[in-house]
Amino acid sequence: MSTLATVATFAQNTVELEAADFKNSQAATGAGLAYGLAAIGPGIGIGYLVGQSVQAMARQPEAAGMVRTTMFLGIAFTEALALIGFVVFILLKFA
Amino acid sequence: MLAAIMAAEESGGGLAYPPIENLVEWPTWFGGELGDSLYGFNKIALISVLATLVTALLFFLAGRGRKMIPKGMQNFGEICVDFIDKQVVQQAIGHGGEKYIPFLISIFFFVFFGNITEVLPGFWMPANARMANPAFLGLLTLVFFVAVGLKHQGPKYFINVGFPPGVPKPLYILVTPIEYLSTFIVRPFSLAVRLFANMLAGHILLVTFGVLCIALFSASLLGAVLLLSFPMLVALTAFEVMVSFLQAYVFAILAAVYIGGALHPEH
Amino acid sequence: MVHVVIPAQVVGDVAEPIELAVALQGEEPTQGEEFGETVDALEEEAVEEEAPNPILPVWSEMFWGGLAFLTLWALMKFVLLKPIQSTMQQRADKVRADLEEADRAKEAGVAAAAQYEASLASARAEAGRLIDDARAQADAQRREIIAAAEAEVAELKAAAAAEVAEAKAAALAQLRGDVGLIAVSAAEAVVQRPLDAASQGPIIDEYLSRASQN
């Protein structure tokens, strides 16, 4: 009877362990995907934004200061999406 | 960094990445355990206090010389004030924004100092890679621009925020909740998360390359790769210096943009 | 870390796990203990990870950070920025004043230059007027001299003409007398008789006047 109880606890433990492993692996996959997918859009967006800003600055060098400030603002707003992806990555991976 | 070295030593020179708690959580020196007490003093708190002390000292020294032709520290102070005035206030708020220079210059230097400790020897830790300071600054900015809006537009400010002019009436059903959400929740949240995530990412990047360099240095066979990873670490350090400055600038200019929006309702 | 994973289906079967459990208990009791410890440690870790999330802010850090920032803000607002900004304001005022002064000086210079130009122009006009006057005077003088000379020349010419006419008249008179005498004497020689010169005179004159008319 005592052996049966041991087996029962053992089995329960192993199953729980497996569940934890499963959750961890799923979390790791999700984390990687979260960051990778979140980086696509802002990557394209920032590239386009900076390219257009450089064009604007080349066409009108006297407006370069204003364009640069606006460019940084735009980068900050666009980048926020990628950073939220990064935060989700951290949350999934470590929390 | 020390934790990384210890981890590498323990695993016999192999590549072992330290758990993230070791990278960003610092034990308190006095005032109770981290997370339990309200005023436990650890490295992050030290950096915050030092940021205030160093900035105050710099500006005190800068304010002592009052010559017509600036020299030494006076140059530094005037360049800083001029930078915030020309690059942040005039660009984002416009005329009438001179009142907010003290707030913005404090934000800029507090954030910048909290960022630059990421690469300063002896600290190796950006204070803003912990959510505490960015969250506080984000909430304070929210309180500040709401106060500015209430002062300059009165209670109508809350109506002006939700109902921007030039929108067809039925669309307000859609626009108004979005405006309220973006103004009062997304703005402080995105301010804080932008700064926090940038610095945390930079810190993790530097730690990753640091751990890599240590592991490769102790493993003699792989030493050749060190020639690639070490210059990368140096380049990333320079990159992080730039990011430190840029994030402080972006935080200040976004705070200025939000204040400007509360000051002039038409924008 | 040792991972012993037993699929759930196997656990469902009774016979084999008992043997396995017996084997574990009998032969390697330490492994079982270690395994249990690992599971316990994992559970503890899971409990620990719930509390300090690396994302969430920690109150003590926020307390110190907020205190430090508010101090910095107050210092900036009331103490630190005042001298710098007042110095910059003074400098800006001085620069503005200097620029205005420079503008004024420039305007004065321009005015002086205009005045100088005006005086120069008037002097030039005066000089031109003087030259014109002198030229007119000289012209008048010249005209006078030329007129005088011309008058003199005319006078001289008239005098010469009168003299010539006089000489001509004298020569003519003399010639007439001579011609009369010669004609009378020639006629005396022809007729062999003395002729009265006085009575023949009008005929000769008439002839001569006819000849001079022809």
Side-chain angles (χ1 to χ4, degrees), chain B residues 51-71:
Chain B
T52 292
L53 290 182
V54 170
T55 310
L57 184 70
L58 286 177
F59 274 84
F60 173 71
L61 290 178
R64 267 198 328 179
R66 307 188 61 172
K67 299 188 194 68
M68 276 294 120
I69 300 161
K71 219 170 72 178

mmCIF file with all atom_site columns, all heavy atoms in Angstrom, chain B residues 51-71:
data_model
loop_
_atom_site.group_PDB
_atom_site.id
_atom_site.type_symbol
_atom_site.label_atom_id
_atom_site.label_alt_id
_atom_site.label_comp_id
_atom_site.label_asym_id
_atom_site.label_entity_id
_atom_site.label_seq_id
_atom_site.pdbx_PDB_ins_code
_atom_site.Cartn_x
_atom_site.Cartn_y
_atom_site.Cartn_z
_atom_site.occupancy
_atom_site.B_iso_or_equiv
_atom_site.pdbx_formal_charge
_atom_site.auth_seq_id
_atom_site.auth_comp_id
_atom_site.auth_asym_id
_atom_site.auth_atom_id
_atom_site.pdbx_PDB_model_num
ATOM 1   N N   . ALA B 1 51 ? 22.518 60.786 -9.644  1.00 0.00 ? 51 ALA B N   1
ATOM 2   C CA  . ALA B 1 51 ? 22.100 61.582 -10.803 1.00 0.00 ? 51 ALA B CA  1
ATOM 3   C C   . ALA B 1 51 ? 21.722 62.984 -10.361 1.00 0.00 ? 51 ALA B C   1
ATOM 4   O O   . ALA B 1 51 ? 22.149 63.974 -10.960 1.00 0.00 ? 51 ALA B O   1
ATOM 5   C CB  . ALA B 1 51 ? 20.912 60.904 -11.500 1.00 0.00 ? 51 ALA B CB  1
ATOM 6   N N   . THR B 1 52 ? 20.951 63.074 -9.289  1.00 0.00 ? 52 THR B N   1
ATOM 7   C CA  . THR B 1 52 ? 20.564 64.390 -8.777  1.00 0.00 ? 52 THR B CA  1
ATOM 8   C C   . THR B 1 52 ? 21.773 65.169 -8.285  1.00 0.00 ? 52 THR B C   1
ATOM 9   O O   . THR B 1 52 ? 21.966 66.334 -8.636  1.00 0.00 ? 52 THR B O   1
ATOM 10  C CB  . THR B 1 52 ? 19.556 64.214 -7.633  1.00 0.00 ? 52 THR B CB  1
ATOM 11  O OG1 . THR B 1 52 ? 18.363 63.701 -8.188  1.00 0.00 ? 52 THR B OG1 1
ATOM 12  C CG2 . THR B 1 52 ? 19.289 65.526 -6.950  1.00 0.00 ? 52 THR B CG2 1
ATOM 13  N N   . LEU B 1 53 ? 22.614 64.502 -7.504  1.00 0.00 ? 53 LEU B N   1
ATOM 14  C CA  . LEU B 1 53 ? 23.748 65.213 -6.912  1.00 0.00 ? 53 LEU B CA  1
ATOM 15  C C   . LEU B 1 53 ? 24.699 65.717 -7.990  1.00 0.00 ? 53 LEU B C   1
ATOM 16  O O   . LEU B 1 53 ? 25.126 66.874 -7.970  1.00 0.00 ? 53 LEU B O   1
ATOM 17  C CB  . LEU B 1 53 ? 24.490 64.298 -5.930  1.00 0.00 ? 53 LEU B CB  1
ATOM 18  C CG  . LEU B 1 53 ? 23.740 63.980 -4.645  1.00 0.00 ? 53 LEU B CG  1
ATOM 19  C CD1 . LEU B 1 53 ? 24.586 63.106 -3.746  1.00 0.00 ? 53 LEU B CD1 1
ATOM 20  C CD2 . LEU B 1 53 ? 23.384 65.273 -3.923  1.00 0.00 ? 53 LEU B CD2 1
ATOM 21  N N   . VAL B 1 54 ? 25.045 64.832 -8.946  1.00 0.00 ? 54 VAL B N   1
ATOM 22  C CA  . VAL B 1 54 ? 26.022 65.220 -9.974  1.00 0.00 ? 54 VAL B CA  1
ATOM 23  C C   . VAL B 1 54 ? 25.464 66.328 -10.842 1.00 0.00 ? 54 VAL B C   1
ATOM 24  O O   . VAL B 1 54 ? 26.148 67.324 -11.127 1.00 0.00 ? 54 VAL B O   1
ATOM 25  C CB  . VAL B 1 54 ? 26.420 63.983 -10.810 1.00 0.00 ? 54 VAL B CB  1
ATOM 26  C CG1 . VAL B 1 54 ? 27.229 64.404 -12.011 1.00 0.00 ? 54 VAL B CG1 1
ATOM 27  C CG2 . VAL B 1 54 ? 27.209 63.011 -9.968  1.00 0.00 ? 54 VAL B CG2 1
ATOM 28  N N   . THR B 1 55 ? 24.191 66.177 -11.270 1.00 0.00 ? 55 THR B N   1
ATOM 29  C CA  . THR B 1 55 ? 23.605 67.221 -12.110 1.00 0.00 ? 55 THR B CA  1
ATOM 30  C C   . THR B 1 55 ? 23.548 68.547 -11.368 1.00 0.00 ? 55 THR B C   1
ATOM 31  O O   . THR B 1 55 ? 23.884 69.595 -11.909 1.00 0.00 ? 55 THR B O   1
ATOM 32  C CB  . THR B 1 55 ? 22.189 66.801 -12.531 1.00 0.00 ? 55 THR B CB  1
ATOM 33  O OG1 . THR B 1 55 ? 22.251 65.481 -13.039 1.00 0.00 ? 55 THR B OG1 1
ATOM 34  C CG2 . THR B 1 55 ? 21.658 67.717 -13.598 1.00 0.00 ? 55 THR B CG2 1
ATOM 35  N N   . ALA B 1 56 ? 23.142 68.471 -10.097 1.00 0.00 ? 56 ALA B N   1
ATOM 36  C CA  . ALA B 1 56 ? 23.062 69.700 -9.309  1.00 0.00 ? 56 ALA B CA  1
ATOM 37  C C   . ALA B 1 56 ? 24.442 70.334 -9.169  1.00 0.00 ? 56 ALA B C   1
ATOM 38  O O   . ALA B 1 56 ? 24.592 71.551 -9.311  1.00 0.00 ? 56 ALA B O   1
ATOM 39  C CB  . ALA B 1 56 ? 22.473 69.408 -7.934  1.00 0.00 ? 56 ALA B CB  1
ATOM 40  N N   . LEU B 1 57 ? 25.452 69.506 -8.942  1.00 0.00 ? 57 LEU B N   1
ATOM 41  C CA  . LEU B 1 57 ? 26.811 70.034 -8.795  1.00 0.00 ? 57 LEU B CA  1
ATOM 42  C C   . LEU B 1 57 ? 27.275 70.698 -10.085 1.00 0.00 ? 57 LEU B C   1
ATOM 43  O O   . LEU B 1 57 ? 27.815 71.812 -10.074 1.00 0.00 ? 57 LEU B O   1
ATOM 44  C CB  . LEU B 1 57 ? 27.758 68.901 -8.399  1.00 0.00 ? 57 LEU B CB  1
ATOM 45  C CG  . LEU B 1 57 ? 29.198 69.331 -8.126  1.00 0.00 ? 57 LEU B CG  1
ATOM 46  C CD1 . LEU B 1 57 ? 29.254 70.133 -6.839  1.00 0.00 ? 57 LEU B CD1 1
ATOM 47  C CD2 . LEU B 1 57 ? 30.124 68.139 -8.052  1.00 0.00 ? 57 LEU B CD2 1
ATOM 48  N N   . LEU B 1 58 ? 27.031 70.013 -11.227 1.00 0.00 ? 58 LEU B N   1
ATOM 49  C CA  . LEU B 1 58 ? 27.452 70.565 -12.514 1.00 0.00 ? 58 LEU B CA  1
ATOM 50  C C   . LEU B 1 58 ? 26.800 71.923 -12.747 1.00 0.00 ? 58 LEU B C   1
ATOM 51  O O   . LEU B 1 58 ? 27.464 72.888 -13.132 1.00 0.00 ? 58 LEU B O   1
ATOM 52  C CB  . LEU B 1 58 ? 27.070 69.607 -13.649 1.00 0.00 ? 58 LEU B CB  1
ATOM 53  C CG  . LEU B 1 58 ? 27.911 68.339 -13.789 1.00 0.00 ? 58 LEU B CG  1
ATOM 54  C CD1 . LEU B 1 58 ? 27.377 67.473 -14.904 1.00 0.00 ? 58 LEU B CD1 1
ATOM 55  C CD2 . LEU B 1 58 ? 29.357 68.703 -14.067 1.00 0.00 ? 58 LEU B CD2 1
ATOM 56  N N   . PHE B 1 59 ? 25.487 71.986 -12.463 1.00 0.00 ? 59 PHE B N   1
ATOM 57  C CA  . PHE B 1 59 ? 24.798 73.237 -12.742 1.00 0.00 ? 59 PHE B CA  1
ATOM 58  C C   . PHE B 1 59 ? 25.148 74.316 -11.716 1.00 0.00 ? 59 PHE B C   1
ATOM 59  O O   . PHE B 1 59 ? 25.142 75.503 -12.035 1.00 0.00 ? 59 PHE B O   1
ATOM 60  C CB  . PHE B 1 59 ? 23.289 73.008 -12.810 1.00 0.00 ? 59 PHE B CB  1
ATOM 61  C CG  . PHE B 1 59 ? 22.871 72.579 -14.173 1.00 0.00 ? 59 PHE B CG  1
ATOM 62  C CD1 . PHE B 1 59 ? 22.948 71.253 -14.550 1.00 0.00 ? 59 PHE B CD1 1
ATOM 63  C CD2 . PHE B 1 59 ? 22.440 73.507 -15.099 1.00 0.00 ? 59 PHE B CD2 1
ATOM 64  C CE1 . PHE B 1 59 ? 22.591 70.871 -15.813 1.00 0.00 ? 59 PHE B CE1 1
ATOM 65  C CE2 . PHE B 1 59 ? 22.085 73.128 -16.365 1.00 0.00 ? 59 PHE B CE2 1
ATOM 66  C CZ  . PHE B 1 59 ? 22.159 71.808 -16.727 1.00 0.00 ? 59 PHE B CZ  1
ATOM 67  N N   . PHE B 1 60 ? 25.482 73.864 -10.504 1.00 0.00 ? 60 PHE B N   1
ATOM 68  C CA  . PHE B 1 60 ? 25.917 74.861 -9.512  1.00 0.00 ? 60 PHE B CA  1
ATOM 69  C C   . PHE B 1 60 ? 27.235 75.492 -9.950  1.00 0.00 ? 60 PHE B C   1
ATOM 70  O O   . PHE B 1 60 ? 27.393 76.707 -9.947  1.00 0.00 ? 60 PHE B O   1
ATOM 71  C CB  . PHE B 1 60 ? 26.091 74.181 -8.147  1.00 0.00 ? 60 PHE B CB  1
ATOM 72  C CG  . PHE B 1 60 ? 26.697 75.083 -7.115  1.00 0.00 ? 60 PHE B CG  1
ATOM 73  C CD1 . PHE B 1 60 ? 25.960 76.131 -6.590  1.00 0.00 ? 60 PHE B CD1 1
ATOM 74  C CD2 . PHE B 1 60 ? 28.002 74.897 -6.690  1.00 0.00 ? 60 PHE B CD2 1
ATOM 75  C CE1 . PHE B 1 60 ? 26.519 76.982 -5.659  1.00 0.00 ? 60 PHE B CE1 1
ATOM 76  C CE2 . PHE B 1 60 ? 28.566 75.731 -5.773  1.00 0.00 ? 60 PHE B CE2 1
ATOM 77  C CZ  . PHE B 1 60 ? 27.827 76.779 -5.246  1.00 0.00 ? 60 PHE B CZ  1
ATOM 78  N N   . LEU B 1 61 ? 28.167 74.635 -10.409 1.00 0.00 ? 61 LEU B N   1
ATOM 79  C CA  . LEU B 1 61 ? 29.451 75.154 -10.890 1.00 0.00 ? 61 LEU B CA  1
ATOM 80  C C   . LEU B 1 61 ? 29.247 76.032 -12.117 1.00 0.00 ? 61 LEU B C   1
ATOM 81  O O   . LEU B 1 61 ? 29.912 77.050 -12.293 1.00 0.00 ? 61 LEU B O   1
ATOM 82  C CB  . LEU B 1 61 ? 30.402 74.000 -11.219 1.00 0.00 ? 61 LEU B CB  1
ATOM 83  C CG  . LEU B 1 61 ? 30.929 73.218 -10.020 1.00 0.00 ? 61 LEU B CG  1
ATOM 84  C CD1 . LEU B 1 61 ? 31.807 72.078 -10.487 1.00 0.00 ? 61 LEU B CD1 1
ATOM 85  C CD2 . LEU B 1 61 ? 31.713 74.136 -9.099  1.00 0.00 ? 61 LEU B CD2 1
ATOM 86  N N   . ALA B 1 62 ? 28.298 75.600 -12.972 1.00 0.00 ? 62 ALA B N   1
ATOM 87  C CA  . ALA B 1 62 ? 28.052 76.370 -14.187 1.00 0.00 ? 62 ALA B CA  1
ATOM 88  C C   . ALA B 1 62 ? 27.447 77.725 -13.864 1.00 0.00 ? 62 ALA B C   1
ATOM 89  O O   . ALA B 1 62 ? 27.696 78.700 -14.557 1.00 0.00 ? 62 ALA B O   1
ATOM 90  C CB  . ALA B 1 62 ? 27.114 75.592 -15.106 1.00 0.00 ? 62 ALA B CB  1
ATOM 91  N N   . GLY B 1 63 ? 26.651 77.775 -12.790 1.00 0.00 ? 63 GLY B N   1
ATOM 92  C CA  . GLY B 1 63 ? 25.973 79.019 -12.465 1.00 0.00 ? 63 GLY B CA  1
ATOM 93  C C   . GLY B 1 63 ? 26.844 79.994 -11.693 1.00 0.00 ? 63 GLY B C   1
ATOM 94  O O   . GLY B 1 63 ? 26.444 81.135 -11.480 1.00 0.00 ? 63 GLY B O   1
ATOM 95  N N   . ARG B 1 64 ? 28.032 79.542 -11.240 1.00 0.00 ? 64 ARG B N   1
ATOM 96  C CA  . ARG B 1 64 ? 28.862 80.439 -10.442 1.00 0.00 ? 64 ARG B CA  1
ATOM 97  C C   . ARG B 1 64 ? 29.532 81.510 -11.290 1.00 0.00 ? 64 ARG B C   1
ATOM 98  O O   . ARG B 1 64 ? 29.603 82.665 -10.920 1.00 0.00 ? 64 ARG B O   1
ATOM 99  C CB  . ARG B 1 64 ? 29.916 79.652 -9.682  1.00 0.00 ? 64 ARG B CB  1
ATOM 100 C CG  . ARG B 1 64 ? 29.464 79.289 -8.302  1.00 0.00 ? 64 ARG B CG  1
ATOM 101 C CD  . ARG B 1 64 ? 30.619 78.923 -7.444  1.00 0.00 ? 64 ARG B CD  1
ATOM 102 N NE  . ARG B 1 64 ? 31.701 78.293 -8.208  1.00 0.00 ? 64 ARG B NE  1
ATOM 103 C CZ  . ARG B 1 64 ? 32.833 77.900 -7.654  1.00 0.00 ? 64 ARG B CZ  1
ATOM 104 N NH1 . ARG B 1 64 ? 33.029 78.059 -6.385  1.00 0.00 ? 64 ARG B NH1 1
ATOM 105 N NH2 . ARG B 1 64 ? 33.763 77.332 -8.383  1.00 0.00 ? 64 ARG B NH2 1
ATOM 106 N N   . GLY B 1 65 ? 30.056 81.075 -12.465 1.00 0.00 ? 65 GLY B N   1
ATOM 107 C CA  . GLY B 1 65 ? 30.665 82.056 -13.355 1.00 0.00 ? 65 GLY B CA  1
ATOM 108 C C   . GLY B 1 65 ? 29.567 82.832 -14.062 1.00 0.00 ? 65 GLY B C   1
ATOM 109 O O   . GLY B 1 65 ? 28.681 82.250 -14.652 1.00 0.00 ? 65 GLY B O   1
ATOM 110 N N   . ARG B 1 66 ? 29.591 84.153 -13.945 1.00 0.00 ? 66 ARG B N   1
ATOM 111 C CA  . ARG B 1 66 ? 28.527 84.929 -14.588 1.00 0.00 ? 66 ARG B CA  1
ATOM 112 C C   . ARG B 1 66 ? 29.150 85.952 -15.511 1.00 0.00 ? 66 ARG B C   1
ATOM 113 O O   . ARG B 1 66 ? 28.803 87.124 -15.489 1.00 0.00 ? 66 ARG B O   1
ATOM 114 C CB  . ARG B 1 66 ? 27.655 85.583 -13.538 1.00 0.00 ? 66 ARG B CB  1
ATOM 115 C CG  . ARG B 1 66 ? 27.131 84.593 -12.526 1.00 0.00 ? 66 ARG B CG  1
ATOM 116 C CD  . ARG B 1 66 ? 26.134 85.216 -11.617 1.00 0.00 ? 66 ARG B CD  1
ATOM 117 N NE  . ARG B 1 66 ? 24.994 85.708 -12.364 1.00 0.00 ? 66 ARG B NE  1
ATOM 118 C CZ  . ARG B 1 66 ? 23.893 86.160 -11.774 1.00 0.00 ? 66 ARG B CZ  1
ATOM 119 N NH1 . ARG B 1 66 ? 23.813 86.182 -10.488 1.00 0.00 ? 66 ARG B NH1 1
ATOM 120 N NH2 . ARG B 1 66 ? 22.894 86.582 -12.498 1.00 0.00 ? 66 ARG B NH2 1
ATOM 121 N N   . LYS B 1 67 ? 30.085 85.473 -16.328 1.00 0.00 ? 67 LYS B N   1
ATOM 122 C CA  . LYS B 1 67 ? 30.794 86.410 -17.208 1.00 0.00 ? 67 LYS B CA  1
ATOM 123 C C   . LYS B 1 67 ? 30.031 86.568 -18.525 1.00 0.00 ? 67 LYS B C   1
ATOM 124 O O   . LYS B 1 67 ? 29.238 85.716 -18.908 1.00 0.00 ? 67 LYS B O   1
ATOM 125 C CB  . LYS B 1 67 ? 32.201 85.873 -17.495 1.00 0.00 ? 67 LYS B CB  1
ATOM 126 C CG  . LYS B 1 67 ? 33.046 85.705 -16.255 1.00 0.00 ? 67 LYS B CG  1
ATOM 127 C CD  . LYS B 1 67 ? 34.469 85.360 -16.648 1.00 0.00 ? 67 LYS B CD  1
ATOM 128 C CE  . LYS B 1 67 ? 35.259 84.858 -15.460 1.00 0.00 ? 67 LYS B CE  1
ATOM 129 N NZ  . LYS B 1 67 ? 34.773 83.535 -14.980 1.00 0.00 ? 67 LYS B NZ  1
ATOM 130 N N   . MET B 1 68 ? 30.312 87.682 -19.171 1.00 0.00 ? 68 MET B N   1
ATOM 131 C CA  . MET B 1 68 ? 29.712 87.916 -20.479 1.00 0.00 ? 68 MET B CA  1
ATOM 132 C C   . MET B 1 68 ? 30.301 86.956 -21.509 1.00 0.00 ? 68 MET B C   1
ATOM 133 O O   . MET B 1 68 ? 29.619 86.495 -22.408 1.00 0.00 ? 68 MET B O   1
ATOM 134 C CB  . MET B 1 68 ? 29.978 89.362 -20.918 1.00 0.00 ? 68 MET B CB  1
ATOM 135 C CG  . MET B 1 68 ? 28.979 90.340 -20.361 1.00 0.00 ? 68 MET B CG  1
ATOM 136 S SD  . MET B 1 68 ? 27.338 90.079 -21.011 1.00 0.00 ? 68 MET B SD  1
ATOM 137 C CE  . MET B 1 68 ? 26.423 89.750 -19.531 1.00 0.00 ? 68 MET B CE  1
ATOM 138 N N   . ILE B 1 69 ? 31.596 86.689 -21.373 1.00 0.00 ? 69 ILE B N   1
ATOM 139 C CA  . ILE B 1 69 ? 32.228 85.703 -22.256 1.00 0.00 ? 69 ILE B CA  1
ATOM 140 C C   . ILE B 1 69 ? 32.407 84.435 -21.439 1.00 0.00 ? 69 ILE B C   1
ATOM 141 O O   . ILE B 1 69 ? 33.253 84.374 -20.554 1.00 0.00 ? 69 ILE B O   1
ATOM 142 C CB  . ILE B 1 69 ? 33.577 86.213 -22.772 1.00 0.00 ? 69 ILE B CB  1
ATOM 143 C CG1 . ILE B 1 69 ? 33.360 87.502 -23.559 1.00 0.00 ? 69 ILE B CG1 1
ATOM 144 C CG2 . ILE B 1 69 ? 34.241 85.159 -23.637 1.00 0.00 ? 69 ILE B CG2 1
ATOM 145 C CD1 . ILE B 1 69 ? 34.582 88.324 -23.726 1.00 0.00 ? 69 ILE B CD1 1
ATOM 146 N N   . PRO B 1 70 ? 31.578 83.395 -21.690 1.00 0.00 ? 70 PRO B N   1
ATOM 147 C CA  . PRO B 1 70 ? 31.599 82.214 -20.807 1.00 0.00 ? 70 PRO B CA  1
ATOM 148 C C   . PRO B 1 70 ? 32.896 81.433 -20.938 1.00 0.00 ? 70 PRO B C   1
ATOM 149 O O   . PRO B 1 70 ? 33.553 81.428 -21.980 1.00 0.00 ? 70 PRO B O   1
ATOM 150 C CB  . PRO B 1 70 ? 30.406 81.399 -21.317 1.00 0.00 ? 70 PRO B CB  1
ATOM 151 C CG  . PRO B 1 70 ? 30.196 81.839 -22.711 1.00 0.00 ? 70 PRO B CG  1
ATOM 152 C CD  . PRO B 1 70 ? 30.617 83.273 -22.780 1.00 0.00 ? 70 PRO B CD  1
ATOM 153 N N   . LYS B 1 71 ? 33.225 80.758 -19.843 1.00 0.00 ? 71 LYS B N   1
ATOM 154 C CA  . LYS B 1 71 ? 34.470 79.997 -19.799 1.00 0.00 ? 71 LYS B CA  1
ATOM 155 C C   . LYS B 1 71 ? 34.224 78.736 -18.973 1.00 0.00 ? 71 LYS B C   1
ATOM 156 O O   . LYS B 1 71 ? 33.500 78.774 -17.974 1.00 0.00 ? 71 LYS B O   1
ATOM 157 C CB  . LYS B 1 71 ? 35.568 80.847 -19.151 1.00 0.00 ? 71 LYS B CB  1
ATOM 158 C CG  . LYS B 1 71 ? 36.927 80.686 -19.805 1.00 0.00 ? 71 LYS B CG  1
ATOM 159 C CD  . LYS B 1 71 ? 37.898 81.717 -19.292 1.00 0.00 ? 71 LYS B CD  1
ATOM 160 C CE  . LYS B 1 71 ? 38.320 81.435 -17.859 1.00 0.00 ? 71 LYS B CE  1
ATOM 161 N NZ  . LYS B 1 71 ? 39.306 82.401 -17.352 1.00 0.00 ? 71 LYS B NZ  1
#
